[in-house]
C-alpha cells in the first residue's frame, strides 16, 4: 500500500484512464462537486454574479487558500495544526499594534509574520523533535494564543489602537486590505500564485517527493536519510507564516484587528483538505485538492447566505460532508486492503 | 507494545499510572491547602459546595469519554452531544409538549444514538475517530443551533429548571449520583475482568484480538457510553442554565481531553481512568477558582489551561520515557 501511495498524487498511468479510476481521484470528485455547486449558484441566485458578492467571495477565498496550502503540506508530512485561527488573530493584532505605535507598515507586517514563524517553531519543535502529539500541542497553542489575544485586548470594546486606519497611522497597511489589480484582489492573486507554486513543488520537485515519503512512512524515510523532523518543522513554520499573512489581511480588510479573526477556521480548513484528498495518516493530499475543498466550503457558505437559509443548517451540511468524506475514504481503503490480499 | 511482555493479570502500566496519578493527587492537595491557607473565602462552605456541585455534573459527563480514550480513540463530539441532550429536552418540553421524564428519556436516546453512529462508523469502516467526531461535532452543533433558535428568549419549564436542584438527604442529588457512579466504576476498573480486557484492547488491540477479545465491540460501546454520559451531564447542565444557549458545551471536548490527560490518560490508549479524569477536572476547577480568588485577569485562564495541557503531556512523557504521548 505504501509504494502505491508514495507515487501519488498522480498514480494513474496515461494508458489506463477509465471512468471509475478517474472518479477515484479525490481532486476529480471535489472538482465535480464544486462545478455543480457553481452551476446551482449561477442559475439559482440572481445575486451570485453581483459585483459585491464576487468581491466578498474573493476576500474570503484568498486567506482560506493560504491556510489550506500550509495545512496541506502538514497533512502530507503526517501532522496537522489546530492553532492557525488563533495565530491569525494574534498576528493581526500584533501587526496593528506595531502600526499604531507609529512604525511603517512594512515593519508592522514583518512583526506579524514573525508571530506566525514563532508559533510554527514552537509547534514544530514540540511535535517533531520532542515527539508530542500534534493534537495536544497545537490545541495547547490555540488556548495560549487566544488567551494572549484576550490579554492584549483587555476585554470589552475594541480600543482605538486596534483600528488599522487613522490620521497617525501608515496607510500602507490598510491599502494591503483593499488593493486590487483589475477585478482581482491582491490577496486572491497572492493565493493563486502561492497555490500554483506549492502544487508544482509537491508534484514535481524532489522536495515534494521527500515530503510525501516522510508522511507516508516516517520510519522508512528516516532510514533513507530523509530529514523527516526538519521537513515537519519547516511545514509548521510555513503554516504559521501563511496564517499570519491571512490574519493580517483580514485585519487590514475589515479595518479592525478583532479577537474573532480566524475563530473556528482550523476545522473548516481541515475539512477542506480532507475533501480534497488529504489524509490524517499522512502521505496523501494535494494543494489542488485542498483549494477545491476551500472553494467547496466557501461556496456552500455563500449559497446559504444567498438562499437565506439559517447559518445553523450550514453546519449540519458541512458536518455531514466531513463524515461522508471520512467514511468513504475508510471504505475505499478497506476495499483496497481486501483486494491486496 | 508493553502488552506483549506483560501477562493478562497486569492490565496496564501500573508504574506509570501510579507515578502520574501520584503527582496529580499531590498537586491537587497542595493547591487545595495553598488556597485554603491564603484565601479565607476559598474554604467558605458556599464556595466549596458550589465547586463540588459544578464538578459533579462535569464528572458524570466525562465517564464515558474517559473510556473512549482508554481504548485509544477520541470523541470530540462530546460537548456537542452534551448540548444536544440538554437543548433537545427543553425543546421537547416547550415545542413538543412532552412531559419531563418522557422528554429526558427521548433526548438521551437521541444522544446515545449519535454515540452509536460514531462507534459504528469508527469500527465498521476503520476510520480515524478524531476526524470523524470533528464531523459529528459540527453536525450536532448545527442541530443544537437550530433547536436553540426555536427556543430563543424563554426559560425552560419550572419542573425542568428544578431538576438539577433536586436534593437527597440535604445535598444535591447530582453529587450523590456522581460519587456513587465514580465509586462503582473505579471498583470495576480494579476488579472486573471486562474492564481489564478493555485496558488490554487500549494498550494493544492486535494482541487483544489474538487473545480472542472482541475489540470492536468494546470501542462501539465506549462511544455509546461517552454519548450517554455526556447526555446526562447535558440535561443536568441545561436544567441549571434554565434557558437554551448556543454557547452550551462549546469547547467542552478540549477541557475533557486536558482533564483526562492530566488524570493519566494517553492519546495512544491503554491508560487513564475515571478517577484520574475527575481529579483532572478538580485540578482545573481549583486552578480557575484560585485565579478568580487572586483577581488574576480571567482572560489569563485560557493561557493557563493551554500551558497546563502541554506541561501535563511533557511530564507524562518524561515519566514514561518515550512510551507516552
Amino acid at each position: 500500500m505504501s509504494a502505491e501511495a508514495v507515487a501519488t498524487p498522480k498514480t494513474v498511468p496515461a494508458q489506463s484512464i477509465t471512468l471509475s479510476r478517474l472518479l477515484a481521484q479525490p481532486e476529480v470528485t471535489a472538482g465535480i462537486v464544486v462545478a455543480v455547486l457553481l452551476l446551482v449558484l449561477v442559475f439559482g441566485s440572481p445575486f451570485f454574479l453581483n459585483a459585491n458578492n464576487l468581491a466578498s467571495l474573493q476576500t474570503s477565498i484568498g486567506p482560506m487558500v493560504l491556510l489550506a496550502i500550509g495545512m496541506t503540506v502538514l497533512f502530507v508530512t503526517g501532522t496537522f495544526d489546530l492553532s492557525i485561527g488563533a495565530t491569525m488573530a494574534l498576528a493581526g493584532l500584533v501587526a496593528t499594534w506595531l502600526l499604531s505605535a507609529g512604525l511603517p507598515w512594512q515593519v508592522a507586517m514583518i512583526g506579524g509574520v514573525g508571530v506566525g514563524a514563532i508559533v510554527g517553531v514552537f509547534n514544530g519543535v514540540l511535535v517533531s523533535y520532542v515527539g508530542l502529539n500534534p493534537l495536544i500541542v497545537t490545541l495547547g497553542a490555540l488556548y495560549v494564543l487566544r488567551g494572549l489575544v484576550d490579554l492584549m485586548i483587555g476585554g470589552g470594546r475594541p480600543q482605538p489602537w486596534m483600528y488599522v486606519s487613522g490620521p497617525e497611522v501608515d496607510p500602507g497597511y490598510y491599502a494591503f486590505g483593499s488593493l486590487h489589480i483589475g477585478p482581482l484582489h491582491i490577496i486572491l492573486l497572492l493565493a493563486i500564485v502561492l497555490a500554483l507554486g506549492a502544487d508544482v513543488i509537491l508534484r514535481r520537485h524532489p522536495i515534494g517527493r521527500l515530503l510525501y515519503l516522510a508522511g507516508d512512512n516516517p520510519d522508512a524515510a528516516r532510514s533513507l536519510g530523509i530529514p523527516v523532523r526538519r521537513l515537519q518543522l519547516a511545514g509548521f513554520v510555513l503554516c504559521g507564516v501563511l496564517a499570519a499573512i491571512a490574519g493580517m489581511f483580514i485585519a487590514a480588510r475589515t479595518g479592525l484587528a478583532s479577537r474573532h479573526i480566524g475563530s473556528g477556521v482550523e476545522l473548516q480548513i481541515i475539512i477542506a483538505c480532507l475533501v480534497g484528498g488529504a489524509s490524517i495518516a499522512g502521505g496523501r493530499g494535494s494543494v489542488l485538492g485542498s483549494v477545491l475543498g476551500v472553494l467547496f466550503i466557501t461556496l456552500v457558505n455563500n449559497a446559504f447566505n444567498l438562499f437565506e437559509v439559517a447559518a445553523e443548517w450550514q453546519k449540519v451540511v458541512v458536518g455531514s460532508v466531513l463524515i461522508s468524506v471520512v467514511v468513504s475514504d475508510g471504505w475505499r481503503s478497506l476495499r483496497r486492503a481486501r483486494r491486496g490480499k | 507494545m508493553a502488552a506483549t511482555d506483560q501477562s493478562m493479570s497486569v492490565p496496564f502500566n501500573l508504574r506509570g499510572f501510579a507515578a502520574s496519578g501520584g503527582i496529580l493527587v499531590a498537586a491537587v492537595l497542595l493547591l487545595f491547602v495553598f488556597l485554603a491557607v491564603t484565601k479565607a473565602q476559598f474554604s467558605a462552605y458556599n464556595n466549596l459546595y458550589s465547586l463540588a456541585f459544578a464538578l459533579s455534573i462535569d464528572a458524570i459527563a466525562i465517564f464515558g469519554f474517559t473510556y473512549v480514550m482508554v481504548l485509544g480513540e477520541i470523541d470530540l463530539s462530546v460537548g456537542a452531544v452534551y448540548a444536544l441532550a440538554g437543548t433537545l429536552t427543553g425543546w421537547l418540553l416547550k415545542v413538543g409538549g412532552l412531559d419531563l421524564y418522557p422528554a429526558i428519556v427521548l433526548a438521551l436516546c437521541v444522544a446515545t444514538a449519535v454515540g452509536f453512529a460514531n462507534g459504528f462508523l469508527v469500527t465498521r469502516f476503520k476510520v480515524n475517530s478524531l476526524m470523524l467526531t470533528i464531523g459529528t461535532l459540527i453536525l450536532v452543533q448545527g442541530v443544537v443551533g437550530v433547536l436553540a433558535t426555536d427556543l430563543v428568549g424563554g426559560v425552560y419549564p419550572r419542573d425542568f429548571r428544578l431538576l438539577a436542584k433536586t436534593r437527597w438527604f440535604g445535598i444535591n442529588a447530582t453529587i450523590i449520583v456522581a460519587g456513587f457512579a465514580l465509586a462503582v466504576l473505579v471498583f470495576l476498573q480494579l476488579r472486573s475482568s471486562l474492564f481489564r480486557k478493555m485496558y488490554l484492547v487500549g494498550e494493544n488491540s492486535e494482541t487483544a484480538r489474538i487473545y480472542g477479545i472482541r475489540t470492536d465491540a468494546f470501542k462501539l460501546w465506549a462511544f455509546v457510553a461517552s454519548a450517554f454520559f455526556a447526555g446526562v451531564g447535558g440535561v443536568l447542565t441545561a436544567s441549571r442554565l434554565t434557558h437554551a444557549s448556543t454557547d452550551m458545551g462549546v469547547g467542552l471536548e478540549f477541557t475533557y481531553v486536558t482533564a483526562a490527560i492530566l488524570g493519566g490518560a494517553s492519546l495512544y490508549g491503554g491508560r487513564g481512568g475515571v478517577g484520574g479524569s475527575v481529579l483532572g477536572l478538580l485540578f482545573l476547577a481549583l486552578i480557575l477558582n484560585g485565579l478568580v480568588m487572586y483577581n488574576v485577569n480571567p482572560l489569563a485562564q485560557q493561557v493557563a489551561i493551554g500551558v497546563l495541557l502541554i506541561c501535563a503531556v511533557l511530564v507524562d512523557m518524561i515519566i514514561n520515557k518515550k512510551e507516552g504521548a
Side-chain angles (χ1 to χ4, degrees):
Chain A
M1 134 183 124
S2 50
E4 190 186 1
V6 170
T8 46
K10 284 278 178 197
T11 49
V12 186
Q15 71 269 26
S16 66
I17 293 178
T18 63
L19 190 62
S20 63
R21 284 226 182 164
L22 205 60
L23 286 176
Q25 292 283 316
E27 289 96 337
V28 175
T29 351
I32 292 172
V33 172
V34 168
V36 170
L37 209 56
L38 265 177
L39 285 178
V40 169
L41 278 166
V42 168
F43 291 105
S45 167
F47 305 108
F48 179 70
L49 292 175
N50 181 305
N52 279 336
N53 189 52
L54 289 182
S56 87
L57 267 180
Q58 286 187 36
T59 51
S60 58
I61 290 173
M64 297 255 295
V65 166
L66 292 187
L67 298 169
I69 295 170
M71 193 70 93
T72 306
V73 171
L74 285 182
F75 265 121
V76 164
T77 57
T79 180
F80 57 94
D81 184 354
L82 291 177
S83 67
I84 50 173
T87 308
M88 288 169 73
L90 188 64
L93 203 62
V94 167
T96 313
W97 182 70
L98 292 172
L99 195 72
S100 64
L103 293 168
W105 67 271
Q106 294 91 335
V107 178
M109 291 194 67
I110 289 172
V113 166
V115 168
I118 292 170
V119 174
V121 169
F122 174 84
N123 286 332
V125 166
L126 285 184
V127 171
S128 322
Y129 285 86
V130 182
L132 300 183
N133 187 294
L135 171 71
I136 296 295
V137 171
T138 60
L139 190 61
L142 184 154
Y143 281 140
V144 172
L145 296 172
R146 286 267 170 220
L148 289 177
V149 166
D150 281 346
L151 280 174
M152 272 184 81
I153 292 177
R157 291 162 170 278
Q159 292 163 16
W161 64 264
M162 288 159 60
Y163 291 91
V164 300
S165 58
E168 283 144 32
V169 163
D170 188 339
Y173 187 62
Y174 186 73
F176 171 54
S178 47
L179 187 70
H180 40 81
I181 297 165
L184 293 179
H185 261 272
I186 182 87
I187 192 74
L188 191 70
L189 286 172
L190 183 67
I192 291 172
V193 170
L194 287 180
L196 279 175
D199 195 68
V200 169
I201 288 176
L202 279 182
R203 278 173 208 277
R204 299 270 174 251
H205 196 274
I207 289 269
R209 285 293 142 92
L210 293 188
L211 289 168
Y212 281 102
L213 256 174
D216 189 54
N217 192 339
D219 291 332
R222 218 168 280 136
S223 62
L224 285 172
I226 296 172
V228 177
R229 290 174 168 177
R230 217 180 306 155
L231 288 173
Q232 272 192 353
L233 176 63
F236 273 109
V237 173
L238 176 75
C239 201
V241 166
L242 289 174
I245 295 174
M248 288 188 295
F249 170 76
I250 292 177
R253 166 88 186 141
T254 56
L256 170 73
S258 147
R259 77 175 73 216
H260 300 297
I261 288 178
S263 86
V265 82
E266 52 279 349
L267 296 185
Q268 290 193 339
I269 295 297
I270 286 181
I271 293 172
C273 293
L274 291 180
V275 168
S279 159
I280 194 179
R284 283 197 288 144
S286 71
V287 172
L288 174 65
S290 301
V291 169
L292 288 169
V294 165
L295 286 179
F296 170 74
I297 298 267
T298 24
L299 288 179
V300 167
N301 220 322
N302 198 230
F304 276 90
N305 287 336
L306 292 179
F307 297 125
E308 290 176 3
V309 186
E312 290 80 22
W313 289 107
Q314 198 175 314
K315 283 190 157 184
V316 175
V317 170
V318 171
S320 315
V321 167
L322 177 57
I323 293 174
S324 26
V325 166
V326 170
V327 169
S328 71
D329 182 50
W331 181 65
R332 240 185 277 139
S333 56
L334 269 186
R335 218 177 39 169
R336 216 179 298 140
R338 241 175 249 150
R339 274 201 201 135
K341 276 175 193 171
Chain B
M1 39 196 112
T4 42
D5 51 55
Q6 281 171 351
S7 68
M8 284 280 280
S9 60
V10 185
F12 51 86
N13 188 336
L14 271 175
R15 190 164 38 89
F17 185 73
S20 48
I23 290 179
L24 184 63
V25 171
V28 166
L29 280 177
L30 271 177
L31 197 58
F32 193 91
V33 169
F34 173 74
L35 287 172
V37 169
T38 55
K39 288 284 169 184
Q41 72 263 44
F42 172 77
S43 38
Y45 176 76
N46 279 339
N47 184 50
L48 291 182
Y49 190 82
S50 68
L51 265 179
F53 178 47
L55 182 67
S56 68
I57 295 178
D58 273 357
I60 293 174
I62 208 175
F63 290 153
F65 178 84
T66 305
Y67 292 125
V68 173
M69 282 193 71
V70 166
L71 286 163
E73 302 286 345
I74 197 159
D75 180 5
L76 290 185
S77 69
V78 67
V81 170
Y82 170 98
L84 176 67
T87 316
L88 184 58
T89 306
W91 191 86
L92 288 171
L93 288 171
K94 288 190 75 171
V95 183
L98 291 187
D99 284 335
L100 181 61
Y101 288 100
I104 291 178
V105 170
L106 193 56
L108 285 180
C109 286
V110 172
T112 312
V114 175
F116 186 85
N118 278 337
F120 175 77
L121 294 175
V122 165
T123 52
R124 173 68 182 78
F125 296 103
K126 307 279 174 252
V127 300
N128 184 293
S129 52
L130 173 70
M131 288 297 147
L132 180 83
T133 56
I134 286 180
T136 326
L137 158 75
I138 294 172
L139 197 165
V140 174
Q141 243 177 22
V143 175
V144 170
V146 171
L147 294 175
T149 25
D150 256 12
L151 290 170
V152 123
V155 290
Y156 291 135
R158 190 180 145 77
D159 51 350
F160 185 35
R161 277 181 284 146
L162 292 178
L163 179 74
K165 292 189 183 136
T166 311
R167 280 172 175 260
W168 293 339
F169 318 114
I171 54 172
N172 277 83
T174 57
I175 299 180
I176 297 175
V177 172
F180 180 72
L182 179 65
V184 169
L185 288 172
V186 169
F187 178 78
L188 287 175
Q189 273 169 220
L190 292 173
R191 295 269 177 242
S192 152
S193 66
L194 193 72
F195 278 64
R196 202 169 292 167
K197 282 180 190 164
M198 177 178 71
Y199 279 93
L200 199 68
V201 173
E203 207 168 84
N204 192 329
S205 67
E206 277 312 308
T207 316
R209 203 170 295 138
I210 293 166
Y211 275 111
I213 299 171
R214 292 173 56 209
T215 55
D216 282 354
F218 274 97
K219 289 186 177 174
L220 175 62
W221 290 109
F223 275 102
V224 169
S226 175
F228 172 77
F229 282 111
V232 174
V235 168
L236 292 169
T237 305
S239 156
R240 222 182 133 205
L241 282 174
T242 71
H243 62 272
S245 156
T246 44
D247 287 340
M248 186 180 164
V250 172
L252 188 75
E253 55 282 357
F254 296 145
T255 311
Y256 279 11
V257 174
T258 312
I261 292 203
L262 283 169
S266 152
L267 283 170
Y268 297 113
R271 290 189 293 133
V274 288
S277 295
V278 172
L279 261 182
L281 281 176
L282 175 61
F283 184 68
L284 289 177
L286 286 178
I287 293 260
L288 295 189
N289 200 252
L291 288 174
V292 172
M293 300 256 150
Y294 272 91
N295 294 321
V296 176
N297 192 335
L299 303 172
Q301 292 178 0
Q302 275 194 315
V303 182
I305 294 185
V307 171
L308 269 176
L309 178 60
I310 296 179
C311 288
V313 184
L314 264 175
V315 167
D316 178 57
M317 185 162 172
I318 293 164
I319 288 173
N320 294 293
K321 291 263 166 66
K322 280 271 159 197
E323 204 203 340

